[in-house]
Amino acid sequence: MVAARPVDSAPMSQRRRLAASTAAFGSATALSRVAGVVREQAAAYYFRTSPTLGAFLIAFNVPNLIRSLVADTAISAAFVPVFVELREQGREPEAWRVASIVLWLAAVVLGAISALFIIAAPWIMPLFVPGDQNIDPDLVVTLSRYLFPIIVILGMTGVITGILNSYDIFGVPAIAPVAWNGIIILALVIWAGDITAYAIGVLIATITQFLIPLPLLRGRSKLVVSLAWRNPEVQRILRQMLPVTIGLGLINFNLTLDLVIATLASPHADADLNYAFRLFMLPQGLFSVAVTVVLFPEISRLAARGDTAGFARTVSTGARTIVFLLLPASAISIALASPIVRLVFQHGSFNDSDTSHVAAALAAFSLGLVANGIALLMTRAFFALQEARTPTRIAAGNLLLNLILDLILYKPFGAGGIALATAVVTTWNAAVLGTLLSRRVGSLHVREVAGEGARIAVATVYCTAAAFGVWWPLDQLLGRSVPAQLASVGLGLAAGAGAYLAAGRILHLAEMDVLVSLARSRERAG
């Protein structure tokens, strides 16, 4: 007997708009994520899990951590709610003046931070090379000096992206990372096996990524050169920056912490984690990041208008969409972890042992996939309310919890234990943020989302069974050449998707109505 369909908390028009925008953003992100996987394949081909790659990962993750704290995403998250609020109040000139000040402040302040780290690299970077893993500290210093300038470039990119997203322009900023990955891949291929070329490629790619969306400002831009940081609205953004920094930087904090501890676990644990994390972030970027980026300007507008009911309804719709998209992705990533890793990475010097270790880490990471998407949405909701201190306090506690679990789990389970610690912390983070947000804005329609989630879980069982049931016999029959793996894994994923959609129709999943409505609209348009 089919369960009764719950009363929908959001009108079909809103859900269709969310689905269409998410599909557009997700498609652009899909290209960039696939390009990112190709980039990791190239790195795996040339460097496997060598100490040379370990040096690059440390040199990259330190400026990347700083970037996550004070640059692109953090600036955008603090800036967008204020920019949207000023526009909602009819203060368009003031909104653009604030945008100008924030852009040039990012250039000056982040430029100074980048220069400081470049100068101090010989003293700072060796601190991130613990353990006896044959990683050359001097190489880490050299590579980091090519990579620290990305901090200022990405900070300015964050402001430009925030402006465009406020005008509901998502596609081009989302597709710019395709060029970023393409340039890096080109550098790896041309200078095969040269780790310095890898770092230089990242720098050139980051500059290109900043330049790509600039033409979209034409006709809208009223940017001027100004450093009037005492502007009250700019001060409001700066006050939000510190808590936003820690709140958004949790996953990056955790990754850096994980990589440092991984150097103590085994010779290749840091590289295993890196490869697994990149695969883990593929569905995260395609689905949850797409949903949250698309919803962020909308919930910021609703918060600026004081529409608490609409705000709560929109957040709950986003949460249900994330569960609908990520629960089957999580199950597939666990069930087919080994064949996915083997297909993507096991080329060149990457061997069966590497695949086994990376697959274990991927499966562990995937246990927290849905929770990570929900946590990202809830964090953005607090930012939209300009109440960033709440996720900050939670983030601080979670960092300590992550450290404790890392130290407990890394010895018995290696890279998989460190990934499991991250999954546990992420799940706790999502639960606490959801509880506190519901106290702040009232009902988040938790019962409705949970009821829908139960039906999604049933559909996910059929999805996983179909995917594994198709992949396994084909793997035995066809063997493991690259074309054979493409066929077995690809057909397995297709079977899983088909089974999920079929089960969704039978179980009357609400998101299926949106997909059917969009498909019919396209047919009529055609």
Side-chain angles (χ1 to χ4, degrees):
M1 181 176 179
V2 177
R5 187 183 308 183
V7 177
D8 198 358
S9 64
M12 176 64 74
S13 59
Q14 182 192 49
R15 290 160 52 208
R16 284 181 57 188
R17 186 169 63 252
L18 170 61
S21 298
T22 301
F25 185 92
S27 297
T29 304
L31 293 175
S32 67
R33 296 290 178 174
V34 170
V37 171
V38 174
R39 184 196 76 236
E40 293 296 332
Q41 284 180 310
Y45 181 85
Y46 290 116
F47 306 116
R48 190 171 168 249
T49 55
S50 65
T52 300
L53 180 61
F56 174 85
L57 293 176
I58 294 172
F60 178 77
N61 278 294
V62 173
N64 189 51
L65 173 61
I66 298 168
R67 183 272 310 169
S68 73
L69 297 180
V70 296
D72 58 337
T73 308
I75 290 176
S76 179
F79 163 74
V80 168
V82 175
F83 186 74
V84 167
E85 180 182 307
L86 292 171
R87 293 184 61 226
E88 283 291 314
Q89 294 172 351
R91 300 165 62 189
E92 191 86 10
E94 178 64 11
W96 279 100
R97 176 171 171 76
V98 168
S100 301
I101 297 169
V102 173
L103 178 66
W104 290 108
L105 281 177
V108 172
V109 175
L110 297 181
I113 291 174
S114 298
L116 176 63
F117 274 95
I118 289 171
I119 294 169
W123 297 277
I124 295 175
M125 297 307 297
L127 300 175
F128 295 90
V129 191
D132 182 18
Q133 303 300 333
N134 298 320
I135 294 176
D136 183 0
D138 292 334
L139 178 59
V140 173
V141 170
T142 299
L143 296 176
S144 71
R145 284 176 158 165
Y146 289 110
L147 294 168
F148 275 118
I150 70 174
I151 296 172
V152 59
I153 301 166
L154 289 173
M156 298 177 70
T157 302
V159 179
I160 300 301
T161 300
I163 292 171
L164 294 175
N165 288 351
S166 299
Y167 283 92
D168 293 331
I169 299 172
F170 303 104
V172 172
I175 207 169
V178 175
W180 187 85
N181 285 297
I183 291 170
I184 298 171
I185 293 168
L186 187 63
L188 284 170
V189 172
I190 293 175
W191 291 282
D194 188 340
I195 200 69
T196 303
Y198 196 178
I200 295 172
V202 170
L203 177 58
I204 296 172
T206 305
I207 295 171
T208 304
Q209 183 179 354
F210 168 71
L211 296 175
I212 286 175
L214 289 182
L216 295 176
L217 293 176
R218 190 176 303 163
R220 293 185 179 87
S221 175
K222 303 176 183 64
L223 292 172
V224 297
V225 178
S226 176
L227 290 171
W229 62 274
R230 293 184 182 274
N231 179 292
E233 304 301 338
V234 173
Q235 289 285 306
R236 189 148 60 102
I237 292 171
L238 294 176
R239 284 194 296 270
Q240 290 288 318
M241 274 292 297
L242 178 60
V244 167
T245 292
I246 299 175
L248 275 179
L250 175 61
I251 192 68
N252 301 90
F253 265 126
N254 282 346
L255 180 60
T256 301
L257 188 64
D258 290 345
L259 288 173
V260 170
I261 293 177
T263 61
L264 304 172
S266 71
H268 308 308
D270 54 347
D272 295 336
L273 277 177
N274 176 68
Y275 291 131
F277 186 76
R278 300 308 168 191
L279 289 176
F280 165 76
M281 289 303 293
L282 182 60
Q284 196 70 253
L286 293 182
F287 302 132
S288 62
V289 172
V291 171
T292 53
V293 168
V294 169
L295 282 185
F296 189 42
E298 176 65 19
I299 59 178
S300 295
R301 281 189 283 269
L302 292 168
R305 296 170 188 166
D307 185 356
T308 303
F311 179 94
R313 183 178 62 243
T314 303
V315 170
S316 67
T317 298
R320 190 175 61 196
T321 301
I322 286 172
V323 175
F324 175 79
L325 295 171
L326 285 187
L327 190 58
S330 173
I332 291 294
S333 293
I334 294 170
L336 299 184
S338 290
I340 290 171
V341 172
R342 186 182 302 115
L343 173 61
V344 174
F345 291 127
Q346 194 170 319
H347 311 286
S349 58
F350 200 103
N351 58 34
D352 285 332
S353 176
D354 297 324
T355 292
S356 176
H357 292 144
V358 174
L362 173 60
F365 271 133
S366 298
L367 291 171
L369 185 60
V370 176
N372 196 62
I374 298 295
L376 181 60
L377 176 63
M378 297 299 163
T379 300
R380 290 277 185 164
F382 277 106
F383 295 161
L385 293 168
Q386 299 182 44
E387 297 179 7
R389 291 183 180 181
T390 298
T392 298
R393 290 194 294 267
I394 298 170
N398 285 341
L399 287 173
L400 177 60
L401 177 61
N402 186 76
L403 175 60
I404 293 171
L405 290 176
D406 275 352
L407 294 174
I408 292 173
L409 297 174
Y410 88 89
K411 281 190 176 180
F413 302 112
I418 295 173
L420 179 60
T422 298
V424 171
V425 171
T426 300
T427 302
W428 171 253
N429 186 42
V432 175
L433 284 171
T435 300
L436 295 178
L437 185 63
S438 65
R439 293 178 183 175
R440 170 63 177 79
V441 301
S443 173
L444 289 177
H445 309 277
V446 174
R447 289 185 179 180
E448 177 188 326
V449 174
E452 185 80 356
R455 285 188 294 280
I456 291 172
V458 173
T460 297
V461 172
Y462 287 101
C463 167
T464 309
F468 191 87
V470 169
W471 165 77
W472 190 83
L474 287 177
D475 180 67
Q476 302 300 307
L477 178 65
L478 300 177
R480 291 182 177 172
S481 65
V482 172
Q485 289 185 74
L486 282 170
S488 60
V489 175
L491 290 173
L493 294 177
Y500 184 64
L501 294 175
R505 291 297 301 276
I506 294 171
L507 294 168
H508 300 294
L509 297 183
E511 301 304 321
M512 293 302 303
D513 291 342
V514 180
L515 296 178
V516 171
S517 177
L518 284 172
R520 289 174 178 171
S521 296
R522 290 181 179 178
E523 288 176 2
R524 287 194 295 270

